[in-house]
């Protein structure tokens, strides 16, 4: 049996933001700063990242261009060494990291992380990865969080991670559910929502239940719904096993990350060794 490895909270928690001088890269830095505030964590900023195993010199020029975005008095670690994914995953584990933040551009935006590259980085990660657009975080960012719940039995992991924003930051969680005419489908939704309610009641997490008309893709719908409740984050589970259609057209989450509205998306993989917080 595989043992779940929790984050060691005796040490200071850490957030890693992969930043560059594009608009979405700058937003990744600023969202990382906000998340460090939310989770009372340190922030490590990676300024030199790629997918190939290469020998590159430290990139200090990017740091110099990004430093004006950091408020005075904020302490963070700039890491200008070159990282490829496997090296960064190991670095994150050694430094008590709980989350990655990356900026994902739309087709109109220039950015290192396209949707395809973002999926390539997220898929192997044991840590949640937050994708952001070029919109900077507001002062009240992450106080309203959306948790889409549908017929899929994946509620536990994403419910826990959405709940952390309430436990650390007193955020209000919007459990987004739908109504079906089919009794079997409705029963599955009701069971999943009941599970989340029980979990949140036990953990004293603030939540409301928002019921919406039937939707083909609840994760995608949550992006447009966010504006109705002033939410600044939606939490989704990634596809575990790709079908042929996923390989040809891309998994459903490809439409959610790098969305046109720039809504941050917390992406969580379905895996047995996912990092969890001991709160």
């Amino acid at each position: 049996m595989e043992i779940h490895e929790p984050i060691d909270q005796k040490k200071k928690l850490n957030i890693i933001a992969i930043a560059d001088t594009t608009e979405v890269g700058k937003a990744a830095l600023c969202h990382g700063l906000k998340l460090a505030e939310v989770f009372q964590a340190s922030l490590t900023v990676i300024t030199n990242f790629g997918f190939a195993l290469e020998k590159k010199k430290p990139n200090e020029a990017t740091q110099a261009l990004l430093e004006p975005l950091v408020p005075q008095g904020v302490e963070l670690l700039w890491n200008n060494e070159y990282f490829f994914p496997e090296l960064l995953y190991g670095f994150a584990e050694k430094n008590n990291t709980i989350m990655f933040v990356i900026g994902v551009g739309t087709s109109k935006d220039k950015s290192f992380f396209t949707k395809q590259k973002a999926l390539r980085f997220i898929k192997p990660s044991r840590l949640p990865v937050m994708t952001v657009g070029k919109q900077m975080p507001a002062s009240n960012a992450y106080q309203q969080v959306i948790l889409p719940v549908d017929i899929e039995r994946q509620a536990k992991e994403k419910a826990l991670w959405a709940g952390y924003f309430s436990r650390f930051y007193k955020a209000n969680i919007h459990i987004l559910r739908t109504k079906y005419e089919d009794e079997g489908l409705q029963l599955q939704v009701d069971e999943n929502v009941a599970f989340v309610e029980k979990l949140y009641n036990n953990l004293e997490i603030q939540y409301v239940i928002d019921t919406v008309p039937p939707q083909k893709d609840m994760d995608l719908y949550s992006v447009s719904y966010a504006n109705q409740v002033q939410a600044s984050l939606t939490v989704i589970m990634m596809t575990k096993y790709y079908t042929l259609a996923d390989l040809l057209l891309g998994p459903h989450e490809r439409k959610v990350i790098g969305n046109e509205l720039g809504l941050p998306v917390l992406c969580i993989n379905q895996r047995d060794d996912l990092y969890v917080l001991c709160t």
Side-chain angles (χ1 to χ4, degrees):
M1 182 177 69
E2 191 159 14
I3 298 175
H4 289 239
E5 182 178 352
I7 292 290
D8 180 4
Q9 289 196 57
K10 293 180 181 179
K11 299 179 182 178
K12 190 175 182 66
L13 302 179
N14 185 55
I15 307 285
I16 289 180
I18 302 177
D20 56 38
T21 56
T22 65
E23 291 301 309
V24 292
K26 293 175 182 177
L29 167 61
C30 293
H31 280 276
L33 288 166
K34 184 64 180 179
L35 288 165
E37 175 190 336
V38 168
F39 289 98
Q40 301 163 31
S42 58
L43 176 66
T44 301
V45 183
I46 305 299
T47 63
N48 201 4
F49 178 85
F51 282 98
L53 175 56
E54 301 176 5
K55 291 185 178 180
K56 288 188 177 182
K57 294 181 180 180
N59 182 3
E60 297 177 355
T62 298
Q63 175 183 335
L65 292 170
L66 292 175
E67 279 180 337
L69 296 175
V70 180
Q72 290 186 353
V74 175
E75 293 185 10
L76 71 161
L77 172 66
W78 296 93
N79 194 316
N80 302 312
E81 297 297 325
Y82 176 72
F83 283 90
F84 57 94
E86 291 75 13
L87 184 61
L88 186 55
Y89 302 145
F91 175 87
E93 185 173 341
K94 291 178 182 178
N95 288 275
N96 220 43
T97 302
I98 63 171
M99 187 185 305
F100 294 110
V101 187
I102 63 174
V104 182
T106 66
S107 58
K108 301 176 183 178
D109 298 323
K110 292 182 178 179
S111 62
F112 173 79
F113 280 106
T114 60
K115 292 184 179 184
Q116 192 61 35
K117 285 184 177 180
L119 291 173
R120 184 178 170 187
F121 176 75
I122 297 168
K123 186 70 174 173
S125 177
R126 295 177 64 189
L127 296 179
V129 180
M130 182 178 291
T131 65
V132 303
K134 59 186 178 182
Q135 185 173 342
M136 295 292 182
S139 59
N140 63 345
Y142 310 125
Q143 290 185 348
Q144 304 292 330
V145 174
I146 298 183
L147 176 67
V149 177
D150 53 19
I151 62 173
E152 300 296 330
R153 295 184 179 276
Q154 306 166 349
K156 183 178 179 181
E157 290 84 357
K158 68 178 182 180
L160 281 171
W161 273 98
Y164 293 144
F165 283 84
S166 177
R167 301 190 72 184
F168 279 85
Y169 198 50
K170 300 189 183 303
N172 190 38
I173 312 302
H174 294 261
I175 301 174
L176 191 62
R177 59 164 298 162
T178 190
K179 288 285 187 181
Y180 289 99
E181 293 183 1
D182 183 283
E183 292 183 1
L185 295 178
Q186 189 59 52
L187 179 61
Q188 292 180 58
V189 172
D190 291 343
E191 288 177 347
N192 289 340
V193 171
F195 169 82
V196 178
E197 281 194 277
K198 182 177 180 180
L199 176 68
Y200 281 2
N201 289 335
N202 288 338
L203 296 176
E204 298 182 347
I205 288 173
Q206 303 176 147
Y207 71 92
V208 296
I209 298 178
D210 298 347
T211 302
V212 299
Q215 303 296 326
K216 183 178 180 180
D217 188 332
M218 285 289 285
D219 290 343
L220 184 59
Y221 179 76
S222 71
V223 174
S224 58
Y225 183 80
N227 189 53
Q228 297 185 40
V229 292
Q230 288 75 55
S232 49
L233 176 67
T234 188
V235 183
I236 70 170
M237 297 296 295
M238 304 294 286
T239 301
K240 187 173 186 178
Y241 300 112
Y242 285 172
T243 64
L244 179 59
D246 292 330
L247 294 173
L248 294 175
L249 304 174
H252 86 283
E253 58 265 23
R254 191 177 189 278
K255 298 179 180 179
V256 184
I257 65 174
N259 56 81
E260 293 288 342
L261 297 179
L263 182 74
V265 180
L266 187 61
C267 304
I268 301 170
N269 281 312
Q270 300 181 54
R271 49 189 299 163
D272 294 332
D273 60 349
L274 183 74
Y275 271 131
V276 294
L277 287 167
C278 296
T279 59

